[in-house]
Amino acid sequence: MIDRHHMTWCPGCGNFAILKTAHEVLSELLPDPRSYVVVGGIGQAAKLPHYLSRCNAFSGLHGRATANAVGIRLANPKLRVILFSGDGDLLAEGGNHFLHAIRRNIGIACFLHDNQVYGLTRGQASPTAWSGMSTTVHTLGVAARPYDPLVMALAAGVRFAARTTVADLGHLRETLAETLRFGSGFALCQILQTCPSFNKERSVAWYKEHTTALDPGHDLADPDRALAAARSLPGGKIPLGVFYRSEATAYEQSHPALGPQTLVERGLAHRFTGQDLEELLSPEVSAP
Amino acid sequence: MGIQSVATVAAGLFSSLGYRVRVLNDFESRIVGGYTFTQMLVSTGQALCVPSLPDLVFCIAPSVLPTDLASLPAETLVFTDTAKLGAVPANVVPFPASTLLPPGQRRAENMLYLGAMAGILRIAVDALAPFIASRFARKGDAVVQANLAACRAGHAHAASLAGDDLALAQASLPPGRALSGNEALTLGAVAAGVGLYAGYPMSPATSIMEGLARLSAQRGIFVEQAEDEIAAANIALGAAYAGVRAMTATSGGGLSLMTETVSMAAIAELPVVFVNVQRPGPATGLATRTAQGDLSMVLSMGHGEFSRAVLTPGTPERAFVAAQKAFYLAEKYQVPVFLLSDQHLADSLVTCTGLEVVPRFQERFLKTTSDLEEPSQVRRYLDTPAGVPPRPVPGLTNDLVVADSHVHDELGHITEDPEVSGRLLARLAGKERRMVADMDLPEVAFDQPASPDVLLIGWGSTHGALRHATVRLRESGLSANHLHFHELHPLDWPRVAEMLRAARTTVCVENNATGQLARLLRSEICFNPTHTVLRWDGRPFYADRLLDAIRRLAP
């Protein structure tokens, strides 16, 4: 991690807790920094790959991080691909890529920083903003209903779905680790996060008061129950935990073009001659 | 697609027998039916450009005849199902197609006409068999046999017609192979070692994706049909970061969606090949027609200032080489490279005889070793004397690699430092000056005259039409030459200016409405072509009409 002085996050930003926890969990679970790439898009959350400092990192365009992550994973499935980005980046600008990465079930661990606002552009509503939230743009309150990323992802068939918060560092750590341990495709971890500059209502205290652990008897393998649990508000509180986990074949594990060699390895070994061209053309008809 | 099957089989046949063939495919933006036609020029010499009026017409749908017959010269012979015509017009050959077909074989009717074509041209029917077998092999032996039988029936009938006027002269050239521009471009990408292709279906580019998909398992090429063009470009970008040769192909509308990613490829110094198979715009335009309307777009698209290369091959053979070179330039200079084709080049079948595999274009320019003892982020964006930074492959060595869309420091991290920003942006813009050394000057058709009275100037798919016109002008005693841009950016413009200024009269011919090459010549070298000949209705130039247009201009 780089020192705080060089970070552009506001004092008290929930991103600090996510960065520190991510750093610890990555060091423990993926001790070889050559073995993974951390991907981000644009926004305050998406700067996290820059601040980890001892990793491969891809910091792309606004909304496109998921598509970049897909490309990296297809090119080299020996690299774990870990995505950290915000609710605006992943759900607004990048909403289509998010849904289709889930549809593919490609091996990406996706950490969604959810603070309901756009921080870097100074406080507009994100797709997860609650109805009635007042912002510099929505001066009369947000008229639309919030987008629930877990519900969307589960409906789209995601194989791993979890929710945690920066207000409970132990839970955050445990859930980040659980998400990284998932090896069967796309894993989504929604992190409810504070923004002390533009979302003063959802403070650490608010999250502590308004979240609760998912029922310990929750059946992790049942997608319908997972969906119901993700939508539920037991005692008026947002449930936290792993909602769904189902082993499956990841996209990159089933494609005939991806054998034991990665595309990168194949590319490095590529030699093509006139003889190869003849062979390519030969299944077609030659002169009678 | 019935008529296109005829053309594909016939083009393969004639090319293999040593003829030179050029096939124009004209079809509507629909799946089945519509008014579809194919024009084929067969020559014992060169087949550069299809004339507007044919010697022979094969019409599977007699209902369109009244319109078409009126525009045909009296000497043109027409084959159609005369069993379905009331009165048979003068130039229609008696050919009761529906009665010649074996019962229940209506679907093979197109092969009946192919047989008739071979028969009237006095080509032995046995020469056709392997081509038909190959074309229909996937559909099983029964379909192959039905089509062969139809072909033989048509051949027997046409061969029995009196007169050898249309018998083809013996071919004396070596055999070739009929390939479309998209097929050649696809093979070029395979030769270059494309590892990942990401795209979204869009005419007339789709057959590139389908061609690579057919080779996917065999060659280990990943073909990803993305959710949209923005995803396609960004998946390619991610793969390029990981160290794979990556490309996407689309048409103008799809490329518009990729604009921001082009800019990203430039600042992150990641090599991505963007193929634009042009069709007329604006917006949805004409989906299955041709245009050279996106040259200005690819020369300037993407916000900010950065280097790029633009390749504009004029023939399938050149498209084969251009696809290889596109990857080479992209990786050598770490820039986005545009390969501009169009529907005319993409869908026309042309006899190819020399497909050149260029081993030099397979060089990767990747850094695959590290000096670091411990894994650590490497100076990926180091300024080097070569003007292009080292490009390590993430995961391969101790080099940890950062890519970033912001202005960044040497490690790839966000910075707003004016000196660092200035240095980075100068490098991005300055690569073009170095790239010039790798770019080909325009092709000049004939050594002499070096200072012609008339110089025809073009780029991309108009190559055959311009070459044909030049040959005809020279045959008529005019001092004419043809200068063609198969690559358009960056170029050694002072040299180009010398080449152009040697001519007395210059005619710039383009398949667009505003003369985009002419405008480029004005802006780069203050050169104003004497004349422009432009066509922008979605159709290619025809040999006779283009020649007429030029003759009206030239002295």
Side-chain angles (χ1 to χ4, degrees):
Chain A
M1 282 187 345
I2 70 164
D3 66 85
R4 277 184 180 228
H5 175 71
H6 289 101
M7 296 183 191
T8 59
W9 291 333
C10 311
C13 179
N15 282 330
F16 288 111
I18 301 174
L19 174 64
K20 182 166 181 293
T21 309
H23 178 71
E24 290 167 6
V25 171
L26 283 169
S27 306
E28 186 189 318
L29 295 183
L30 297 169
D32 183 352
R34 296 171 299 190
S35 68
Y36 60 92
V37 181
V38 185
V39 183
I42 291 296
Q44 288 293 70
K47 290 176 180 170
L48 188 141
H50 284 288
Y51 298 158
L52 276 171
S53 84
R54 197 162 172 266
C55 63
N56 293 299
F58 190 105
S59 171
L61 292 165
H62 189 42
R64 313 307 163 203
T66 314
N68 299 139
V70 169
I72 296 167
R73 182 70 180 165
L74 292 176
N76 190 353
K78 290 180 181 172
L79 289 173
R80 291 293 306 273
V81 179
I82 302 158
L83 179 56
F84 286 93
S85 222
D87 39 15
D89 193 64
L90 288 170
L91 304 177
E93 193 86 34
N96 200 29
H97 311 316
F98 179 73
L99 281 180
H100 286 273
I102 291 171
R103 184 171 69 87
R104 290 181 184 98
N105 192 39
I106 189 160
I108 296 171
C110 176
F111 297 98
L112 192 164
H113 303 220
D114 181 357
N115 61 4
Q116 302 96 50
V117 292
Y118 288 74
L120 201 49
T121 52
R122 307 188 69 81
Q124 300 80 24
S126 92
T128 55
W130 63 89
S131 299
M133 181 191 201
S134 175
T135 75
T136 53
V137 174
H138 298 92
T139 52
L140 301 176
V142 172
R145 284 172 301 162
Y147 184 130
D148 186 327
L150 277 199
V151 169
M152 279 307 259
L154 284 163
V158 78
R159 296 297 178 151
F160 180 98
R163 186 190 282 141
T164 184
T165 175
V166 295
D168 182 343
L169 294 179
H171 191 270
L172 178 66
R173 187 188 161 85
E174 199 179 301
T175 315
L176 259 59
E178 275 294 283
T179 309
L180 277 175
R181 283 193 195 102
F182 184 70
S184 296
F186 193 92
L188 174 66
C189 176
Q190 177 192 15
I191 307 170
L192 299 173
Q193 188 204 336
T194 53
C195 175
S197 294
F198 299 112
N199 184 2
K200 296 193 192 322
E201 281 187 53
R202 301 278 161 102
S203 60
V204 167
W206 189 94
Y207 281 122
K208 278 188 195 296
E209 195 185 326
H210 291 88
T211 57
T212 182
L214 187 58
D215 174 4
H218 175 71
D219 180 1
L220 275 180
D222 184 334
D224 294 331
R225 280 168 201 258
L227 194 57
R231 302 177 78 121
S232 69
L233 286 172
K237 294 184 177 186
I238 305 166
L240 304 178
V242 177
F243 289 76
Y244 186 57
R245 180 169 53 213
S246 158
E247 302 306 316
T249 305
Y251 193 63
E252 65 277 18
Q253 289 165 346
S254 62
H255 196 284
L258 298 179
Q261 261 192 326
T262 66
L263 297 179
V264 174
E265 289 161 347
R266 266 182 191 268
L268 288 171
H270 175 79
R271 299 289 176 276
F272 192 95
T273 63
Q275 181 66 37
D276 294 312
L277 180 64
E278 285 308 311
E279 281 168 24
L280 267 188
L281 293 172
S282 63
E284 303 289 326
V285 174
S286 52
Chain B
M1 301 300 272
I3 198 71
Q4 284 171 36
S5 297
V6 175
T8 304
V9 175
L13 168 72
F14 290 123
S15 297
S16 77
L17 294 175
Y19 295 98
R20 296 296 174 257
V21 175
R22 180 171 293 257
V23 177
L24 288 190
N25 280 310
D26 188 300
F27 44 89
E28 295 175 9
S29 180
R30 54 191 284 174
I31 298 165
V32 171
Y35 182 49
T36 294
F37 65 88
T38 285
Q39 289 159 289
M40 179 163 67
L41 172 69
V42 183
S43 170
T44 50
Q46 291 177 296
L48 291 170
C49 187
V50 173
S52 60
L53 295 173
D55 300 316
L56 267 173
V57 171
F58 298 88
C59 177
I60 296 181
S63 56
V64 304
L65 259 190
T67 338
D68 275 10
L69 271 184
S71 62
L72 291 176
E75 59 274 20
T76 298
L77 275 191
V78 178
F79 282 78
T80 192
D81 188 357
T82 45
K84 288 184 184 158
L85 289 182
V88 178
N91 51 350
V92 174
V93 177
F95 188 70
S98 41
T99 66
L100 297 174
L101 273 176
Q105 302 293 357
R106 281 276 306 159
R107 286 174 62 83
E109 189 178 5
N110 54 352
M111 290 299 121
L112 187 80
Y113 284 91
L114 179 70
M117 184 195 299
I120 198 77
L121 296 173
R122 303 297 189 248
I123 302 271
V125 71
D126 289 340
L128 280 164
F131 290 88
I132 293 172
S134 159
R135 175 82 187 175
F136 297 103
R138 272 185 304 144
K139 297 183 178 174
D141 193 50
V143 176
V144 171
Q145 292 309 323
N147 281 282
L148 278 173
C151 180
R152 286 183 195 283
H155 190 277
H157 189 87
S160 71
L161 295 170
D164 285 341
D165 308 358
L166 288 162
L168 272 182
Q170 187 69 35
S172 55
L173 294 170
R177 191 194 156 81
L179 286 179
S180 72
N182 271 2
E183 286 171 333
L185 194 156
T186 303
L187 289 169
V190 174
V194 61
L196 180 136
Y197 175 98
Y200 188 86
M202 184 171 190
S203 300
T206 314
S207 62
I208 296 171
M209 175 157 62
E210 291 169 337
L212 287 171
R214 274 194 293 277
L215 298 170
S216 171
Q218 179 201 342
R219 306 283 319 176
I221 299 165
F222 201 98
V223 176
E224 177 64 13
Q225 183 182 319
E227 55 271 25
D228 55 39
E229 284 88 348
I230 300 175
N234 278 284
I235 289 169
L237 197 69
Y241 162 80
V244 164
R245 283 195 158 180
M247 79 183 270
T248 183
T250 181
S251 194
L255 192 65
S256 295
L257 288 172
M258 298 177 183
T259 305
E260 191 189 20
T261 314
V262 170
S263 188
M264 167 73 189
I267 198 166
E269 299 185 72
L270 290 172
V272 176
V273 174
F274 296 88
V275 177
N276 178 1
V277 185
Q278 299 163 97
R279 70 192 218 191
T284 310
L286 289 161
T288 60
R289 307 294 172 185
T290 199
Q292 294 183 311
D294 297 342
L295 175 59
S296 301
M297 175 197 189
V298 300
L299 285 168
S300 63
M301 71 183 286
H303 56 294
E305 296 171 298
F306 55 85
S307 301
R308 71 194 73 208
V310 178
L311 307 180
T312 57
T315 65
E317 281 110 330
R318 297 248 182 199
F320 179 72
V321 174
Q324 300 169 66
K325 187 167 179 177
F327 286 99
Y328 171 79
L329 292 172
E331 290 207 305
K332 183 172 180 183
Y333 296 98
Q334 299 177 16
V335 291
V337 174
F338 295 99
L339 204 168
L340 267 189
S341 174
D342 57 30
Q343 187 268 332
H344 179 44
L345 176 62
D347 290 337
S348 297
L349 289 164
V350 178
T351 308
C352 296
T353 49
L355 294 172
E356 189 194 357
V357 175
V358 187
R360 187 168 70 89
F361 292 160
Q362 293 166 33
E363 189 179 348
R364 297 297 311 276
F365 305 99
L366 288 165
K367 181 172 183 279
T368 53
T369 56
S370 176
D371 304 329
L372 300 172
E373 289 184 7
E374 286 285 310
S376 173
Q377 288 186 345
V378 74
R379 293 204 286 170
R380 163 71 176 94
Y381 295 106
L382 181 70
D383 252 329
T384 64
V388 183
R391 180 172 158 233
V393 179
L396 205 65
T397 69
N398 281 337
D399 289 0
L400 300 178
V401 189
V402 180
D404 185 29
S405 66
H406 301 81
V407 165
H408 43 255
D409 61 19
E410 289 183 335
L411 290 173
H413 293 301
I414 304 169
T415 182
E416 298 187 17
D417 181 287
E419 197 193 316
V420 177
S421 315
R423 212 167 39 231
L424 170 66
L425 297 174
R427 180 169 77 239
L428 300 184
K431 289 175 181 177
E432 285 187 356
R433 284 195 297 279
R434 300 170 186 271
M435 220 188 303
V436 165
D438 273 310
M439 302 300 287
D440 290 344
L441 285 166
E443 175 201 18
V444 179
F446 301 99
D447 291 341
Q448 294 298 328
S451 304
D453 287 342
V454 181
L455 181 67
L456 303 187
I457 305 167
W459 61 280
S461 73
T462 56
H463 181 267
L466 289 187
R467 181 60 54 87
H468 174 269
T470 310
V471 170
R472 290 286 173 277
L473 292 173
R474 290 163 68 95
E475 283 168 0
S476 66
L478 222 65
S479 158
N481 214 333
H482 169 207
L483 180 143
H484 208 82
F485 292 90
H486 298 284
E487 301 183 357
L488 258 174
H489 184 84
L491 286 184
D492 183 350
W493 283 109
R495 292 278 306 281
V496 175
E498 285 169 29
M499 298 165 84
L500 294 173
R501 295 207 165 98
R504 194 161 63 82
T505 304
T506 48
V507 185
C508 192
V509 181
E510 301 185 60
N511 238 171
N512 57 44
T514 55
Q516 297 187 16
L517 172 61
R519 191 160 66 217
L520 181 67
L521 298 178
R522 282 194 288 275
S523 72
E524 290 287 349
I525 48 176
C526 298
F527 181 84
N528 214 4
T530 325
H531 303 285
T532 53
V533 173
L534 306 174
R535 180 170 194 181
W536 59 88
D537 59 358
R539 271 64 176 182
F541 288 103
Y542 285 100
D544 44 328
R545 292 187 189 156
L546 175 61
L547 193 58
D548 289 347
I550 293 167
R551 282 205 167 112
R552 281 197 296 274
L553 299 170

